[in-house]
Amino acid sequence: MKSWVLILLIAGLITGFESTIAQEKLTTRSKKAIEAYNSGIRNYTLNKYTVAAQYLETAIAADPGFIEAYLVLAEVYESDQKPDKAIKTYRKALPLNENYYPYGLVRLGNLEYREGLYENALASYSRFVSLNSGNDAQIEKAKDGIARCVFSIEAMKHPVDFNPATLDTTVNTPYDEYWPGLSADEKTLVVTRLIPSEDFMKQVQEDFFISQRTGSGWGAMKNAGWPLNTPDNEGAQTISGDGRYMIFTACNRSDGIGRCDLYASTKKGDNWSVPVNLGRPVNSAYRETQPSMTPDGRTLYFSSDRPGGKGQHDIWVSHLDKSGKWTNPENLGDSVNSKGTEMSPFIHPDNQSLYFSSDGHIGLGGHDLFFARRDSTGAWKKPVNLGYPINTNRDEIGLIVNSRGNKAYYSSDVNQAQGKDIYVFDLPYQSRPVAVTYMKGKVFDARDLRLLRAQFELVDLETGIVIYNSWSDSLSGEFLVSIPGNRNYMLNVSKTSYLFFSENFSLKEGFDADRPFLIDVPLQPIVAGNSIVLRNVFFETDSYALKNESKLELNKVVELLKANPGIRIEIGGHTDNTGSAVYNLKLSENRAKAVADYLKSASVAAERIVSKGYGMDKPIAGNESEEGRSQNRRTEMKIL
């Protein structure tokens, strides 16, 4: 970008000032210097940088004190992507007369900062402030530069652990690979690859490639194929936790709403559906790109330059409502977005940690990687820089973190001979999200083993908030549910004409992230004699008083009974063998009655419910261990 002082100098020459007038305004009287200077400016305006530099160097040789020639030459080098030469030129020019163009110190500081010369940049910014030029806006820019340099110097004094490793050659090729996407079980990896185009009108195009993890590493990347890939560009994708739903960026398509839009595709069995434009209000007449969604695919973060933001590009969020429509996107606000550019958001499956790239927040130069966490109210806290050497004076963009929260994947061209490749590294502990595990398996009819499409709902037992809402595959019955740690959850799997499946995940006291829950889900048809265990019905110890968390599951029973008005049920109470048979029988009867009374209070007709206590007579596990006794202490619902 050309500075305003130099633009005025150039404009004066272009509009036809006589050389004698120009000479009176310049700091040289050398006709040779002025002639070369004028030629240098004319070539600069034509973007002929090499020729312009030669003329300007001739002007400086004719008069080493010709400050304007130095300043324009510095601009030429900067425009020609030669920052080292621009820095050297500014350092020669500015001491000639600091008051001639004091803002040159800020421009010099900016160059030094971008090149990672933080001590030098700090000195340049500080010198400008000390001159007290009277321009408050420029002084604020210099003070911002000082803050960035101080941060960068300290960050380099306290580096974080960072040992990136390139992924297998099955993933990385001589072509550029970037924008990694990873399923919750870390078995599916999707990348954007820049490959030669078959269209003679363009040289390259972006396509999706997918790899499956094998016992020895990542399998060979396979082209995702049509209809996901087209002769157009597809990139910057995000995939759901189960790897069966993708949202990605495509630009300038015939069905587009703006310059770049977000599209979605669903995988059924082994095939991807034809991508569909997400439409308004997610997409606008502006640019929507770089999406990231929660594991259930119901909350979407993305970067956009649409109106109403805080800076050039901001991060926005939209949710799927109960009718399956995306809500009006909301700006994430001042805590995340700045006056600069925020991009490449990644929401971790814990739904509490957001990773993104920014050049607006204080960092080491260019775009740095940051993370933000939610507070107890759900609002985003102040972002934290991931630190040096993860961040450098280069651009760091597009980082994702695995479900366990211990490894991060990103793209880098640090090996420029190889181009952009996908790297993985151990994420420093201070930057890790809440670890997430998952439950994986198939849903089927318990009677005839038919694979089923069923709805999954994971609910925080303490808050009642639905954490995850999704469906099993309609062809394979497969599902994958991401389960964040540090909380206790109720899982409900339901399908019309079937009893729901109930499971409880008590993760508040910790869990083994390397041992996910592998559970197949048999759904019982609603016919007489079938029964289920209500695993999320809880009582106070040695009491029949229902705990408050039980209401979530009991309300599911109410919904089931109201949706199937022709059925009658038995609520059965069961205990372990701790205590006497008489005591346990009475306790089980009272607990069964407490559940029946709750259902009746929710407007379920009394004649539809029978309660019965079985005491310790019908164990489903051994009573020798606490795990077995825990299974025997249960509440069952049976269709009568």
Side-chain angles (χ1 to χ4, degrees), residues 27-48:
T27 58
T28 184
R29 292 291 182 267
S30 168
K31 292 183 178 180
K32 181 179 180 181
I34 293 173
E35 182 179 352
Y37 172 73
N38 291 346
S39 297
I41 287 182
R42 291 190 181 94
N43 280 279
Y44 182 29
T45 60
L46 297 174
N47 296 328
K48 296 180 178 180

Side-chain angles (χ1 to χ4, degrees), residues 306-376:
R306 65 204 300 151
K310 308 295 180 182
Q312 299 172 25
H313 271 76
D314 278 8
I315 297 174
W316 300 73
V317 62
S318 179
H319 308 275
L320 271 182
D321 61 21
K322 292 183 178 179
S323 66
K325 294 182 179 179
W326 291 102
T327 61
N328 285 320
E330 300 173 8
N331 190 284
L332 260 59
D334 295 333
S335 59
V336 170
N337 293 316
S338 70
K339 294 180 180 179
T341 295
E342 277 68 45
M343 57 195 299
S344 66
F346 171 75
I347 183 69
H348 188 263
D350 70 353
N351 206 24
Q352 303 294 315
S353 307
L354 179 72
Y355 298 81
F356 64 96
S357 182
S358 171
D359 65 359
H361 296 289
I362 290 179
L364 287 95
H367 283 84
D368 274 17
L369 294 167
F370 294 80
F371 73 93
R373 301 195 196 280
R374 296 184 192 272
D375 62 20
S376 58

